[in-house]
Amino acid sequence: MSSKLQLTTLAVLVSAALPAQAALYKVVEVTNTGGVTGAEYYGTAIQPSVAGVNCFDSGASSATCEGYKLAGETRNRPDGFSYREEVPFAMDNSFGYIEDDYDGFEDYCFYQLGYATCEYWASDRWSSWYNETYSSNTPNSLAFIEGTAVLPTDAKNTVINSLNSSGSAIGNYSTATVRNTPINGDITGWKQGRQWATNGTYSVGSVSSRTGTGGERYYYFSKPAVWNGTTLNAVKWAYNDQQDGDYYAQGSMRDLYVDGTTFYGVGYNNYKDQHMNATIFKGTTTDLTNLNSVQINNAQVDISGDNIHSNSVATNINKNLVVVGQAKRSGGYPKNGAASNRLFIVPDASASSINASFFYGGIFFDGAGGEMGGINNFNEIVGRIDSENHREYDGKQRRQRAFIYPYGMTPKTDSSEEAAITARRAIFKNKAWLLDDLTNGGSESSNNNQYRIYDASDINDAGVISATAVKCSGGYDSTSHNAYCGDGNGTEKVVAVKLVPIAGSDASAIEPRSYDSTATERKGAGLGFGVLTILGLFGFMRKRIK
């Protein structure tokens, strides 16, 4: 008999005895892309929800909850370097790696990632950068909001970082002459601009001094930016050196919250020695260019004289002034066997001392790496995290999966909302979960078993999540985390999905997935570049610093 999990008579009886709506989420694949086509589809943002709607409520409308729009993007190949970031690899503010073309890509991989397969890694990304830089510049990232393509005139690559309350895109696009222009937003006097978030009145992002194309491809600086309606305000750097040797000052604002005339922004800013450190911006809406920059301690680049991190950024803030972000360990200072991108939280942006606490406990083992997705006003945090804890140095890269973390009450949370937040947290048994564990069981189990949720990029207050999944059409061979697709020969693809709470579900509906006893060694049939990335097949880590 096969050692893979078999559905026994007992399991059938147990399954039949479960509530009909077991599982917390229904996985809804988004296929209405407005005619946009690509090899892979990624969910990047979810429409903010209407006040007072909680899709976990027993009386919640499925039409309303499934109706929140998802924003997504395609990929036919990896980004050369991210279309979102101000500088290559979120840390190369000397532009040394990227200026060296293929050799620079390989050097970055070797010194900062350490994979044994850096030739493959570099070649894969260099081919995209070559296409964008020297060749036909055929589009790679085509963006959509359910049912509508987001294709500004002459756009080459478009990204959507968030949606506003009406479901319109906040992001940027590239043309043949400008690498990044905001989808909506004036950048007069600047060559590039990026936007990340808006509250309807103010929008935040960054502006850069050169186009990022042609002869202006390298050596540019950027500043955090706030748009008051259409009026652009470039925010001062924390340490006002525009250039220091080969390094150029950089800054970016990724999210905001405005309380009356008090402005809070989060992102990163330029500090001494041109370090790019996670930052909380504080000030008044009457003087947006002179916002104060408060460095987030414990997440900064330089700690006690050593560059422990290569970069750090605060990614999100909510109305409770909870800030979340990530800090990338330098390749020279790995932690517990990996130079990981660690996730952190700051419970109160208004505190006199701002310190990051890295996620730890439960699914967040010490040294786990991941990517921050977002946080809603219930203090529910989503993203992705390592789902394996073996050493990456001299071993294989860890696989990652999407998570949700119901953080609970924080110092600035309104006491009138305590009952609602406590009730929502109880749905998750007051702890963090891999989202795959919350899509298992009950009447949705068969549909949901077609998907393993790789990334969660955003969450609204109603509890609906934008995500990216690996799909095995018809379902994986079992409901386990590491199940085969078609006995290891099936075709898997990357798809954009929404995770929609099942009305009336509570903690009793959680059925954690098991693990098959046979190790899953996928044979590569039908795997595109995105699936290979998601499955963590880029190889082994080597010890090397630069």
Side-chain angles (χ1 to χ4, degrees):
M1 179 179 289
S2 169
S3 60
K4 292 196 288 289
L5 183 68
Q6 302 295 318
L7 188 63
T8 64
T9 302
L10 177 60
V12 171
L13 293 174
V14 171
S15 177
L18 290 170
Q21 49 195 25
L24 292 186
Y25 294 98
K26 176 182 179 180
V27 182
V28 179
E29 184 178 348
V30 176
T31 58
N32 52 336
T33 61
V36 168
T37 59
E40 319 279 5
Y41 296 85
Y42 296 80
T44 64
I46 198 72
Q47 182 180 7
S49 54
V50 176
V53 174
N54 179 357
C55 290
F56 285 105
D57 285 347
S58 58
S61 164
S62 60
T64 297
C65 294
E66 292 186 26
Y68 290 112
K69 293 181 179 179
L70 175 140
E73 299 164 12
T74 68
R75 291 295 187 275
N76 292 304
R77 54 187 181 274
D79 301 2
F81 74 85
S82 173
Y83 304 122
R84 290 178 160 80
E85 295 293 342
E86 283 75 18
V87 297
F89 315 121
M91 56 82 69
D92 184 18
N93 57 335
S94 72
F95 299 88
Y97 284 125
I98 203 70
E99 187 180 20
D100 289 341
D101 292 335
Y102 171 82
D103 290 341
F105 279 83
E106 188 174 20
D107 282 347
Y108 171 77
C109 178
F110 187 67
Y111 291 113
Q112 292 297 332
L113 303 177
Y115 302 153
T117 54
C118 278
E119 289 184 4
Y120 167 77
W121 188 97
S123 177
D124 209 24
R125 283 151 183 79
W126 161 245
S127 62
S128 285
W129 179 240
Y130 182 89
N131 171 75
E132 183 181 345
T133 309
Y134 305 112
S135 188
S136 61
N137 199 13
T138 54
N140 183 30
S141 180
L142 302 179
F144 62 91
I145 301 169
E146 286 189 74
T148 304
V150 179
L151 298 172
T153 304
D154 74 353
K156 292 294 183 180
N157 293 301
T158 305
V159 296
I160 299 175
N161 295 315
S162 61
L163 295 176
N164 65 17
S165 59
S166 64
S168 297
I170 309 299
N172 45 274
Y173 66 96
S174 299
T175 69
T177 57
V178 180
R179 192 167 197 269
N180 282 290
T181 298
I183 294 174
N184 297 290
D186 174 57
I187 57 170
T188 298
W190 298 84
K191 297 295 185 70
Q192 291 188 67
R194 297 163 175 82
Q195 284 191 344
W196 285 82
T198 187
N199 69 355
T201 300
Y202 300 95
S203 302
V204 297
S206 67
V207 286
S208 299
S209 60
R210 305 183 77 174
T211 65
T213 62
E216 296 188 322
R217 185 170 308 284
Y218 309 116
Y219 316 128
Y220 52 82
F221 60 82
S222 62
K223 280 192 167 185
V226 182
W227 286 262
N228 181 357
T230 59
T231 301
L232 169 64
N233 300 270
V235 179
K236 67 180 182 180
W237 291 306
Y239 195 82
N240 202 35
D241 276 351
Q242 179 175 305
Q243 182 179 351
D244 182 7
D246 295 333
Y247 296 87
Y248 292 78
Q250 309 294 334
S252 179
M253 205 175 299
R254 303 297 175 86
D255 201 5
L256 76 157
Y257 178 71
V258 178
D259 183 8
T261 60
T262 302
F263 184 96
Y264 293 92
V266 297
Y268 70 84
N269 211 350
N270 182 74
Y271 289 82
K272 190 175 181 180
D273 296 327
Q274 304 303 88
H275 290 156
M276 301 154 55
N277 289 334
T279 295
I280 297 173
F281 301 90
K282 298 180 182 180
T284 174
T285 55
T286 60
D287 191 10
L288 292 168
T289 62
N290 289 306
L291 297 173
N292 293 318
S293 293
V294 181
Q295 176 182 282
I296 298 177
N297 297 319
N298 300 333
Q300 74 269 31
V301 171
D302 186 320
I303 299 177
S304 300
D306 293 318
N307 289 352
I308 300 299
H309 297 108
S310 63
N311 62 285
S312 62
V313 60
T315 57
N316 303 92
I317 184 171
N318 67 7
K319 72 175 186 179
N320 304 315
L321 301 186
V322 181
V323 176
V324 293
Q326 55 203 34
K328 168 69 171 65
R329 295 287 293 202
S330 169
Y333 293 90
K335 183 177 179 63
N336 289 344
S340 55
N341 196 47
R342 298 190 298 161
L343 309 183
F344 67 77
I345 188 166
V346 176
D348 180 7
S350 69
S352 57
S353 179
I354 301 296
N355 299 288
S357 297
F358 291 98
F359 289 6
Y360 182 72
I363 63 173
F364 305 115
F365 58 87
D366 193 19
E371 190 80 15
M372 188 62 70
I375 183 171
N376 65 12
N377 290 317
F378 285 88
N379 296 338
E380 294 165 345
I381 304 165
V382 296
R384 69 175 187 263
I385 196 70
D386 289 340
S387 59
E388 300 173 322
N389 63 0
H390 58 258
R391 287 180 57 84
E392 289 191 323
Y393 268 49
D394 304 319
K396 64 181 181 178
Q397 187 182 356
R398 297 166 182 162
R399 297 183 183 182
Q400 296 185 332
R401 286 291 184 263
F403 72 86
I404 185 167
Y405 181 12
Y407 193 75
M409 297 292 291
T410 53
K412 291 295 182 180
T413 306
D414 192 322
S415 60
S416 66
E417 298 174 343
E418 181 173 359
I421 290 177
T422 300
R424 279 278 280 262
R425 194 165 187 256
I427 293 172
F428 302 97
K429 299 183 179 180
N430 304 314
K431 66 178 184 177
W433 293 88
L434 296 181
L435 281 164
D436 281 337
D437 283 324
L438 307 182
T439 63
N440 186 39
S443 60
E444 292 295 336
S445 189
S446 179
N447 170 69
N448 288 356
N449 192 44
Q450 297 181 101
Y451 306 94
R452 295 296 182 267
I453 313 303
Y454 162 66
D455 186 33
S457 57
D458 195 11
I459 182 170
N460 65 20
D461 289 345
V464 183
I465 299 169
S466 60
T468 302
V470 183
K471 181 182 181 182
C472 176
S473 294
Y476 285 88
D477 293 356
S478 76
T479 61
S480 67
H481 278 288
N482 58 338
Y484 285 90
C485 177
D487 199 30
N489 295 303
T491 298
E492 296 173 287
K493 61 182 181 179
V494 177
V495 296
V497 298
K498 289 186 285 192
L499 302 184
V500 181
I502 297 172
S505 292
D506 58 22
S508 66
I510 297 176
E511 291 184 62
R513 295 184 187 273
S514 63
Y515 286 88
D516 287 342
S517 59
T518 300
T520 300
E521 297 293 341
R522 287 167 171 83
K523 302 174 184 178
L527 298 187
F529 75 85
V531 179
L532 291 174
T533 302
I534 287 170
L535 295 179
L537 301 178
F538 282 140
F540 299 89
M541 304 289 286
R542 288 182 286 182
K543 295 179 182 178
R544 188 73 176 264
I545 63 174
K546 185 177 182 180

